[in-house]
Amino acid sequence: RRNTRCPTGPTGQGRTMIVNVTHFNVAKNGHGLQFPRRICLHTTESSDRQGESGLDDCINVMNYWQRQGKGFGTQLLVNKWGLRARYVFDKRVAWGAAGANEETLHLEIIGRASFTKLYWFTRLTQLRAVAQILATWSQEWDIPLVVSVERGVFTHAMASAAFGKSDHTDPGRGFPLGFVMRLARRRL
């Protein structure tokens, strides 16, 4: 089952759509409870698909993780239009980055590691939504808004370099992490 109603018109900007995960028992896949102390940013490596409901890309990501059978890889997702979808509760471990799953909140961003910085800046609604989520998680979980794989905000590429357990490069060298972090700090 899934919620396919768009909460605020065709894009649902600024709202979180709650994806019903009761059909998928994350506990049986080794996901446990956690107390988050860091945030990892990812890109889906997929294209934007809004569809009639505004949720096609959010649902496609959920379906991918279901087909994969390893569990959901992120707590939240943000699409190009700022719509947010929740897949895993914050207190549950998501399988998002090898070596950095426990004590980590994962945020999936619809996009590609190949995007240039210039292209990311055509997606300001999405970047602002990412910043808002970072600010909210920072306040809720006392996570500092600094770049750090130990206690702060980092990318999947940084986790790959730090822990050596994957070769992921998302969200890419063009992702404007500094800009997003400044926006997030202003929201505190």
Side-chain angles (χ1 to χ4, degrees):
R1 294 174 27 197
R2 63 181 178 255
N3 177 356
T4 56
R5 182 181 65 82
C6 187
T8 56
T11 63
Q13 292 179 352
R15 290 294 195 76
T16 301
M17 173 194 71
I18 303 299
V19 176
N20 184 345
V21 297
T22 57
H23 65 280
F24 194 85
N25 184 349
V26 293
K28 76 177 184 178
N29 287 311
H31 297 60
L33 296 175
Q34 68 173 350
F35 186 82
R37 62 185 176 92
R38 56 193 179 180
I39 301 166
C40 184
L41 303 177
H42 307 263
T43 48
T44 58
E45 301 309 305
S46 63
S47 300
D48 307 305
R49 297 198 185 275
Q50 188 174 17
E52 266 186 52
S53 67
L55 309 175
D56 286 5
D57 45 13
C58 302
I59 293 166
N60 289 342
V61 169
M62 179 181 69
N63 290 339
Y64 167 78
W65 283 325
Q66 286 180 310
R67 284 190 309 274
Q68 186 184 38
K70 296 179 182 176
F72 291 119
T74 190
Q75 274 75 19
L76 288 175
L77 172 137
V78 177
N79 73 7
K80 176 182 177 180
W81 301 277
L83 180 67
R84 302 147 199 194
R86 175 167 296 282
Y87 301 101
V88 177
F89 296 112
D90 293 352
K91 291 184 180 181
R92 303 290 270 165
V93 176
W95 291 149
N101 288 318
E102 291 79 17
E103 300 180 323
T104 306
L105 295 168
H106 296 273
L107 177 57
E108 194 80 42
I109 304 162
I110 298 284
R112 297 183 183 277
S114 62
F115 285 177
T116 64
K117 186 170 281 199
L118 183 61
Y119 188 73
W120 276 113
F121 280 113
T122 68
R123 302 165 74 94
L124 284 174
T125 300
Q126 185 178 38
L127 296 176
R128 288 182 183 120
V130 169
Q132 182 60 56
I133 292 166
L134 295 180
T136 300
W137 278 345
S138 174
Q139 289 179 318
E140 288 179 3
W141 296 102
D142 193 31
I143 298 171
L145 289 175
V146 298
V147 177
S148 170
V149 295
E150 294 302 321
R151 183 163 166 72
V153 179
F154 61 100
T155 67
H156 198 169
M158 292 173 188
S160 295
F163 305 112
K165 297 193 178 216
S166 78
D167 60 357
H168 289 250
T169 61
D170 58 302
R173 294 184 349 182
F175 184 76
L177 181 58
F179 172 78
V180 170
M181 296 288 282
R182 283 190 297 281
L183 282 180
R185 287 185 201 108
R186 286 187 204 146
R187 296 180 189 288
L188 293 178

